[in-house]
Short mmCIF file of all heavy atoms in Angstrom, two decimals:
data_model
loop_
_atom_site.label_atom_id
_atom_site.label_comp_id
_atom_site.label_asym_id
_atom_site.label_seq_id
_atom_site.Cartn_x
_atom_site.Cartn_y
_atom_site.Cartn_z
N CYS A 18 12.24 -20.32 -4.00
CA CYS A 18 11.60 -20.99 -2.86
C CYS A 18 11.07 -19.99 -1.84
O CYS A 18 11.23 -20.16 -0.62
CB CYS A 18 12.54 -21.98 -2.19
SG CYS A 18 11.70 -23.44 -1.51
N VAL A 19 10.44 -18.94 -2.32
CA VAL A 19 9.93 -17.87 -1.41
C VAL A 19 8.46 -17.58 -1.63
O VAL A 19 7.75 -17.37 -0.63
CB VAL A 19 10.76 -16.56 -1.65
CG1 VAL A 19 10.18 -15.42 -0.82
CG2 VAL A 19 12.22 -16.78 -1.28
N LEU A 20 7.95 -17.59 -2.84
CA LEU A 20 6.58 -17.26 -3.09
C LEU A 20 5.62 -18.20 -2.35
O LEU A 20 4.53 -17.78 -1.94
CB LEU A 20 6.25 -17.30 -4.60
CG LEU A 20 6.38 -15.99 -5.36
CD1 LEU A 20 5.32 -15.01 -5.02
CD2 LEU A 20 7.77 -15.38 -5.23
N ASN A 21 6.02 -19.44 -2.13
CA ASN A 21 5.20 -20.37 -1.36
C ASN A 21 5.00 -19.94 0.08
O ASN A 21 4.11 -20.38 0.76
CB ASN A 21 5.74 -21.79 -1.41
CG ASN A 21 7.20 -21.86 -0.93
OD1 ASN A 21 7.45 -21.81 0.26
ND2 ASN A 21 8.11 -21.95 -1.87
N LEU A 22 5.87 -19.04 0.55
CA LEU A 22 5.80 -18.56 1.94
C LEU A 22 4.88 -17.32 2.06
O LEU A 22 4.55 -16.92 3.17
CB LEU A 22 7.19 -18.16 2.44
CG LEU A 22 8.27 -19.25 2.40
CD1 LEU A 22 9.62 -18.64 2.80
CD2 LEU A 22 7.90 -20.38 3.34
N VAL A 23 4.49 -16.76 0.95
CA VAL A 23 3.69 -15.54 0.97
C VAL A 23 2.18 -15.88 1.06
O VAL A 23 1.66 -16.61 0.24
CB VAL A 23 3.95 -14.71 -0.31
CG1 VAL A 23 3.07 -13.46 -0.35
CG2 VAL A 23 5.40 -14.36 -0.45
N PRO A 24 1.50 -15.36 2.07
CA PRO A 24 0.08 -15.69 2.20
C PRO A 24 -0.77 -15.32 1.04
O PRO A 24 -1.61 -16.07 0.60
CB PRO A 24 -0.33 -14.94 3.48
CG PRO A 24 0.95 -14.79 4.25
CD PRO A 24 2.00 -14.60 3.21
N ASP A 25 -0.61 -14.08 0.48
CA ASP A 25 -1.42 -13.61 -0.61
C ASP A 25 -0.64 -13.69 -1.91
O ASP A 25 0.02 -12.74 -2.33
CB ASP A 25 -1.88 -12.19 -0.34
CG ASP A 25 -2.95 -11.70 -1.36
OD1 ASP A 25 -3.09 -12.33 -2.42
OD2 ASP A 25 -3.63 -10.72 -1.05
N LYS A 26 -0.70 -14.86 -2.55
CA LYS A 26 0.10 -15.06 -3.77
C LYS A 26 -0.41 -14.27 -4.94
O LYS A 26 0.34 -13.89 -5.82
CB LYS A 26 0.17 -16.57 -4.06
CG LYS A 26 0.97 -17.31 -2.96
CD LYS A 26 0.85 -18.80 -3.14
CE LYS A 26 1.65 -19.54 -2.05
NZ LYS A 26 1.21 -19.23 -0.64
N GLN A 27 -1.73 -14.03 -4.99
CA GLN A 27 -2.28 -13.17 -6.03
C GLN A 27 -1.68 -11.80 -5.99
O GLN A 27 -1.27 -11.22 -7.00
CB GLN A 27 -3.81 -13.10 -5.88
CG GLN A 27 -4.52 -12.28 -6.93
CD GLN A 27 -5.01 -13.06 -8.11
OE1 GLN A 27 -5.27 -14.26 -7.96
NE2 GLN A 27 -5.16 -12.44 -9.25
N LYS A 28 -1.61 -11.24 -4.80
CA LYS A 28 -1.01 -9.91 -4.61
C LYS A 28 0.45 -9.95 -4.97
O LYS A 28 1.00 -8.98 -5.61
CB LYS A 28 -1.21 -9.46 -3.15
CG LYS A 28 -0.60 -8.10 -2.85
CD LYS A 28 -1.26 -6.99 -3.66
CE LYS A 28 -0.74 -5.63 -3.24
NZ LYS A 28 -1.22 -4.55 -4.15
N ALA A 29 1.15 -11.00 -4.61
CA ALA A 29 2.58 -11.11 -4.90
C ALA A 29 2.84 -11.08 -6.42
O ALA A 29 3.68 -10.32 -6.89
CB ALA A 29 3.15 -12.39 -4.30
N PHE A 30 2.09 -11.88 -7.15
CA PHE A 30 2.29 -11.89 -8.62
C PHE A 30 1.85 -10.59 -9.25
O PHE A 30 2.38 -10.16 -10.28
CB PHE A 30 1.58 -13.11 -9.22
CG PHE A 30 2.35 -14.39 -9.07
CD1 PHE A 30 1.94 -15.36 -8.24
CD2 PHE A 30 3.51 -14.60 -9.81
CE1 PHE A 30 2.66 -16.54 -8.10
CE2 PHE A 30 4.24 -15.79 -9.70
CZ PHE A 30 3.81 -16.77 -8.84
N SER A 31 0.85 -9.92 -8.65
CA SER A 31 0.46 -8.61 -9.14
C SER A 31 1.55 -7.56 -8.93
O SER A 31 1.78 -6.69 -9.79
CB SER A 31 -0.85 -8.15 -8.44
OG SER A 31 -1.92 -9.00 -8.73
N GLU A 32 2.23 -7.64 -7.81
CA GLU A 32 3.32 -6.77 -7.52
C GLU A 32 4.50 -6.99 -8.47
O GLU A 32 5.18 -6.08 -8.93
CB GLU A 32 3.79 -6.90 -6.07
CG GLU A 32 2.99 -6.12 -5.06
CD GLU A 32 3.20 -4.63 -5.22
OE1 GLU A 32 4.18 -4.12 -4.63
OE2 GLU A 32 2.44 -3.98 -5.92
N ILE A 33 4.74 -8.26 -8.80
CA ILE A 33 5.82 -8.60 -9.71
C ILE A 33 5.58 -7.99 -11.08
O ILE A 33 6.47 -7.41 -11.69
CB ILE A 33 6.01 -10.12 -9.79
CG1 ILE A 33 6.55 -10.67 -8.48
CG2 ILE A 33 6.98 -10.48 -10.96
CD1 ILE A 33 6.54 -12.18 -8.36
N ILE A 34 4.34 -8.14 -11.57
CA ILE A 34 4.04 -7.58 -12.92
C ILE A 34 4.09 -6.08 -12.88
O ILE A 34 4.46 -5.45 -13.90
CB ILE A 34 2.67 -8.11 -13.44
CG1 ILE A 34 2.64 -8.08 -14.95
CG2 ILE A 34 1.51 -7.30 -12.83
CD1 ILE A 34 1.46 -8.79 -15.57
N ARG A 35 3.82 -5.46 -11.76
CA ARG A 35 3.89 -4.00 -11.62
C ARG A 35 5.31 -3.50 -11.78
O ARG A 35 5.54 -2.51 -12.46
CB ARG A 35 3.32 -3.57 -10.29
CG ARG A 35 3.42 -2.05 -10.06
CD ARG A 35 2.94 -1.64 -8.66
NE ARG A 35 3.82 -2.13 -7.61
CZ ARG A 35 5.00 -1.57 -7.25
NH1 ARG A 35 5.47 -0.54 -7.93
NH2 ARG A 35 5.71 -2.07 -6.23
N ILE A 36 6.27 -4.20 -11.16
CA ILE A 36 7.65 -3.68 -11.21
C ILE A 36 8.42 -4.12 -12.42
O ILE A 36 9.50 -3.60 -12.71
CB ILE A 36 8.44 -4.11 -9.90
CG1 ILE A 36 8.71 -5.61 -9.88
CG2 ILE A 36 7.75 -3.60 -8.66
CD1 ILE A 36 9.74 -6.04 -8.85
N LEU A 37 7.87 -5.05 -13.21
CA LEU A 37 8.51 -5.46 -14.41
C LEU A 37 8.30 -4.41 -15.51
O LEU A 37 7.24 -3.82 -15.65
CB LEU A 37 7.95 -6.79 -14.93
CG LEU A 37 8.49 -8.08 -14.33
CD1 LEU A 37 7.65 -9.31 -14.76
CD2 LEU A 37 9.96 -8.29 -14.69
N LYS A 38 9.36 -4.21 -16.32
CA LYS A 38 9.22 -3.34 -17.47
C LYS A 38 8.37 -4.03 -18.53
O LYS A 38 8.27 -5.26 -18.55
CB LYS A 38 10.60 -3.05 -18.06
CG LYS A 38 11.56 -2.30 -17.16
CD LYS A 38 12.93 -2.15 -17.81
CE LYS A 38 13.91 -1.46 -16.88
NZ LYS A 38 15.28 -1.36 -17.47
N PRO A 39 7.75 -3.26 -19.42
CA PRO A 39 7.04 -3.88 -20.55
C PRO A 39 7.99 -4.81 -21.31
O PRO A 39 9.10 -4.42 -21.64
CB PRO A 39 6.62 -2.67 -21.39
CG PRO A 39 6.56 -1.53 -20.42
CD PRO A 39 7.62 -1.79 -19.41
N GLY A 40 7.54 -6.02 -21.54
CA GLY A 40 8.39 -7.02 -22.20
C GLY A 40 9.29 -7.76 -21.27
O GLY A 40 10.03 -8.68 -21.70
N GLY A 41 9.27 -7.42 -19.97
CA GLY A 41 10.10 -8.15 -19.01
C GLY A 41 9.48 -9.47 -18.65
O GLY A 41 8.37 -9.84 -19.10
N HIS A 42 10.20 -10.23 -17.81
CA HIS A 42 9.66 -11.54 -17.42
C HIS A 42 10.18 -11.91 -16.06
O HIS A 42 11.12 -11.30 -15.53
CB HIS A 42 10.08 -12.61 -18.44
CG HIS A 42 11.58 -12.80 -18.56
ND1 HIS A 42 12.36 -12.03 -19.39
CD2 HIS A 42 12.42 -13.68 -17.94
CE1 HIS A 42 13.64 -12.43 -19.29
NE2 HIS A 42 13.70 -13.44 -18.42
N PHE A 43 9.53 -12.91 -15.45
CA PHE A 43 10.03 -13.47 -14.20
C PHE A 43 10.51 -14.91 -14.41
O PHE A 43 10.09 -15.59 -15.34
CB PHE A 43 8.99 -13.41 -13.06
CG PHE A 43 7.83 -14.35 -13.16
CD1 PHE A 43 8.00 -15.72 -13.01
CD2 PHE A 43 6.54 -13.86 -13.34
CE1 PHE A 43 6.94 -16.61 -13.07
CE2 PHE A 43 5.47 -14.74 -13.38
CZ PHE A 43 5.65 -16.14 -13.26
N CYS A 44 11.39 -15.34 -13.54
CA CYS A 44 11.81 -16.74 -13.47
C CYS A 44 11.83 -17.11 -12.00
O CYS A 44 12.67 -16.62 -11.26
CB CYS A 44 13.18 -16.95 -14.12
SG CYS A 44 13.69 -18.68 -14.16
N ILE A 45 10.92 -17.98 -11.59
CA ILE A 45 10.71 -18.30 -10.20
C ILE A 45 10.80 -19.82 -9.95
O ILE A 45 10.13 -20.60 -10.63
CB ILE A 45 9.34 -17.76 -9.71
CG1 ILE A 45 9.33 -16.25 -9.71
CG2 ILE A 45 9.02 -18.32 -8.33
CD1 ILE A 45 7.98 -15.65 -9.44
N SER A 46 11.65 -20.18 -9.02
CA SER A 46 11.68 -21.57 -8.51
C SER A 46 10.84 -21.61 -7.25
O SER A 46 10.99 -20.77 -6.36
CB SER A 46 13.10 -22.02 -8.23
OG SER A 46 13.87 -22.07 -9.41
N ASP A 47 9.98 -22.62 -7.16
CA ASP A 47 9.05 -22.67 -6.04
C ASP A 47 8.61 -24.09 -5.77
O ASP A 47 8.92 -25.01 -6.54
CB ASP A 47 7.83 -21.79 -6.37
CG ASP A 47 7.30 -21.03 -5.14
OD1 ASP A 47 7.68 -21.41 -4.02
OD2 ASP A 47 6.51 -20.09 -5.32
N ILE A 48 7.84 -24.24 -4.67
CA ILE A 48 7.31 -25.53 -4.29
C ILE A 48 5.83 -25.58 -4.57
O ILE A 48 5.09 -24.61 -4.22
CB ILE A 48 7.57 -25.85 -2.81
CG1 ILE A 48 9.04 -25.91 -2.52
CG2 ILE A 48 6.90 -27.14 -2.39
CD1 ILE A 48 9.78 -27.00 -3.24
N VAL A 49 5.35 -26.61 -5.27
CA VAL A 49 3.94 -26.80 -5.50
C VAL A 49 3.55 -28.22 -5.12
O VAL A 49 4.40 -29.11 -4.96
CB VAL A 49 3.54 -26.54 -6.97
CG1 VAL A 49 3.78 -25.08 -7.32
CG2 VAL A 49 4.30 -27.46 -7.90
N LEU A 50 2.23 -28.46 -5.03
CA LEU A 50 1.75 -29.76 -4.58
C LEU A 50 0.87 -30.37 -5.71
O LEU A 50 0.34 -29.70 -6.54
CB LEU A 50 0.85 -29.60 -3.37
CG LEU A 50 1.40 -28.79 -2.18
CD1 LEU A 50 0.33 -28.71 -1.07
CD2 LEU A 50 2.66 -29.44 -1.67
N LYS A 51 0.80 -31.70 -5.64
CA LYS A 51 -0.13 -32.46 -6.44
C LYS A 51 -0.81 -33.45 -5.50
O LYS A 51 -0.14 -34.31 -4.93
CB LYS A 51 0.54 -33.18 -7.60
CG LYS A 51 1.11 -32.24 -8.67
CD LYS A 51 1.75 -33.03 -9.82
CE LYS A 51 2.33 -32.10 -10.84
NZ LYS A 51 3.00 -32.82 -11.98
N GLY A 52 -2.11 -33.29 -5.28
CA GLY A 52 -2.80 -34.13 -4.32
C GLY A 52 -2.96 -33.37 -3.00
O GLY A 52 -2.39 -32.31 -2.78
N GLU A 53 -3.75 -33.96 -2.10
CA GLU A 53 -4.08 -33.28 -0.86
C GLU A 53 -3.05 -33.50 0.25
O GLU A 53 -2.65 -34.62 0.50
CB GLU A 53 -5.48 -33.71 -0.39
CG GLU A 53 -6.62 -33.12 -1.14
CD GLU A 53 -6.59 -31.60 -1.13
OE1 GLU A 53 -6.42 -31.04 -0.03
OE2 GLU A 53 -6.74 -30.99 -2.19
#
């Protein structure tokens, strides 16, 4: 429940893939919307 607080989510996910080892993975719980 943190990535939704980050203004630049593209940069956040880019940083995550940078620090992951080859073959690594993420598991993220977060809040998303459906509808306006």
Side-chain angles (χ1 to χ4, degrees):
C18 213
V19 175
L20 268 289
N21 56 76
L22 304 173
V23 178
D25 190 342
K26 294 171 179 60
Q27 180 94 25
K28 179 62 174 172
F30 280 108
S31 296
E32 278 289 276
I33 292 169
I34 205 169
R35 178 184 67 79
I36 69 166
L37 278 170
K38 296 176 183 178
H42 62 274
F43 73 67
C44 184
I45 292 172
S46 294
D47 217 344
I48 298 297
V49 295
L50 310 177
K51 293 182 181 180
E53 283 303 312

